[in-house]
Amino acid sequence: MLIDFLGRTLDYLRVSVTGRCNLRCIYCMPPEGVEYRPHEAVLRFEEILRLCRIMAGLGIRRIKVTGGEPLVRKGVVSFIRALAAVPGIEQVTLTTNGVLLDRYLDGLAAAPVSGINVSLNSLNPETFRRLTGCMSGGDAASPAAIVKTMERVRSLGIPVKVNCIPLRNANQGELADIAALAEKTVDAVRFIELMPLGYAETGESIPGSEVRSILERRLELHSFLSHPVDERPGNGPAVYFAVPGFSGRIGFIDAVSRGFCETCNRLRLTPEGLLKPCLASGTAADLRALLRSGASNARIAEAVRHIAALKPASHHFSALSDGGRKNRSDTAMFRIGG
Ligand code: SAM
Ligand code: SF4
């Protein structure tokens, strides 16, 4: 088992398979895009699988495949299938912007993927375009098409959650409509506070407490958001609420105003093979260097244990912030794997 110095059991790994993306969300990537790392710098799928087998042997039980946009990487569905078959791995889930999801959904269902999170910040085509910089992609890149795909995900029996970042002067007026997707379309809608990483200064975050007030007012629910339900689908950091008449839950990840570090159970692997103990940590193990220098599984396992033990007690966004400007793209979620 991987246990850090605070006694937290680390059994969850987020694997970013690419830093590339077909969108340009304003808080994540600059509109002109970013310089992509050379192909050879990125771990091959066989390399990631070897690392995951080693980490499964150390107690990793659940893996989230993320990016960048994971579905833009060729072969990702076969990779997920292989990952789901790794002994010890109980769940493989995916986080996606949803644009290419319909195309790959049947393969993902067969893999099988245990759950899909779709990031969707607006149901309004114009706001969606403004927030994602999406000029092309045809119908697939419209919020309506993404909602339709999510309905199909659910009809296949795959749990589907929406991740939404509330932003002032952007999606503020439609948060209740987005929350209403939990009425019958998705299993949960989660509102996540924007974290001061990468290009986040491009958006103004709305704190979770304010979102709860907006929803109570707009959905005419009196104080329903003061009694969280005692469940943690996905065992993540979200706090969930049951809403009368809704089949799904509404969740909040108050990443900045409350934080969730004391229960954090995750490690992160970047596309270039850096294993990080925390989103906002400068510490990392260079697993690519170990893999490519012929290190044994035992040597790699030792490096993983070492990094797990160094997991900080809590994140230090401020240490990264230098206004975030100097190395902005290094701290952006598309690079670390959101
Ligand atoms: N492209 C996929 C997607 O958008 O779901 C997966 C990768 S993306 C980096 C993962 C999640 O990170 C998305 O839900 C995105 O909104 C979120 N994200 C990006 N930058 C963020 C920030 N500064 N604070 C909070 N969440 C952020
Ligand atoms: Fe791409 Fe996801 Fe970042 Fe948006 S949040 S630019 S979809 S990686």
Side-chain angles (χ1 to χ4, degrees), residues 63 65 77-86 89-94 105-116 156-159:
I63 296 182
V65 176
V77 175
S78 309
F79 166 70
I80 289 175
R81 193 182 318 126
L83 209 48
V86 169
I89 297 302
E90 292 162 7
Q91 277 186 10
V92 179
T93 55
L94 175 76
L105 188 53
D106 293 328
L108 290 167
V113 78
S114 306
I116 299 180
L156 289 169
I158 304 170

Side-chain angles (χ1 to χ4, degrees), residues 54-260:
I54 294 170
M55 287 194 250
L58 293 172
I60 292 294
R61 293 290 166 261
R62 290 169 303 116
I63 296 182
K64 168 82 74 195
V65 176
T66 180
E69 173 49 40
L71 296 181
V72 301
R73 182 158 175 187
K74 216 170 141 216
V76 72
V77 175
S78 309
F79 166 70
I80 289 175
R81 193 182 318 126
L83 209 48
V86 169
I89 297 302
E90 292 162 7
Q91 277 186 10
V92 179
T93 55
L94 175 76
T95 293
T96 171
N97 60 34
V99 173
L100 297 173
L101 184 55
D102 193 61
R103 190 183 302 176
Y104 294 115
L105 188 53
D106 293 328
L108 290 167
V113 78
S114 306
I116 299 180
N117 291 356
V118 178
S119 305
L120 183 62
N121 293 325
S122 178
L123 296 172
N124 174 299
E126 178 50 32
T127 311
F128 178 88
R129 195 200 60 72
R130 183 159 65 83
L131 290 178
T132 61
C134 184
M135 312 293 281
S136 59
D139 286 348
S142 77
I146 293 171
V147 169
K148 216 162 136 198
T149 303
M150 292 192 297
E151 285 166 355
R152 197 158 87 78
V153 175
R154 213 179 189 200
S155 73
L156 289 169
I158 304 170
V160 57
K161 297 185 199 130
V162 166
N163 286 343
C164 171
I165 299 191
L167 296 166
R168 220 173 286 290
N169 304 319
N171 58 8
Q172 191 170 358
E174 48 175 322
L175 297 177
D177 296 332
I178 295 171
L181 288 171
E183 191 176 350
K184 44 182 188 258
T185 308
V186 299
D187 296 277
V189 173
R190 308 186 311 170
F191 294 98
I192 304 175
E193 286 179 350
L194 184 68
M195 294 180 262
L197 297 167
Y199 299 85
E201 64 188 13
T202 326
E204 187 187 341
S205 180
I206 307 177
S209 55
E210 192 177 331
V211 177
R212 287 188 278 281
S213 305
I214 293 172
L215 297 187
E216 286 188 344
R217 218 170 34 246
R218 285 283 317 280
L219 297 173
E220 293 181 7
L221 292 157
H222 303 290
S223 307
F224 85 101
L225 295 177
S226 33
H227 302 293
V229 291
D230 190 19
E231 55 189 57
R232 305 226 152 209
N235 296 313
V239 175
Y240 287 96
F241 297 84
V243 178
F246 280 32
S247 64
R249 303 292 193 225
I250 297 190
F252 295 89
I253 302 182
D254 293 351
V256 179
S257 63
R258 285 188 196 196
F260 44 77

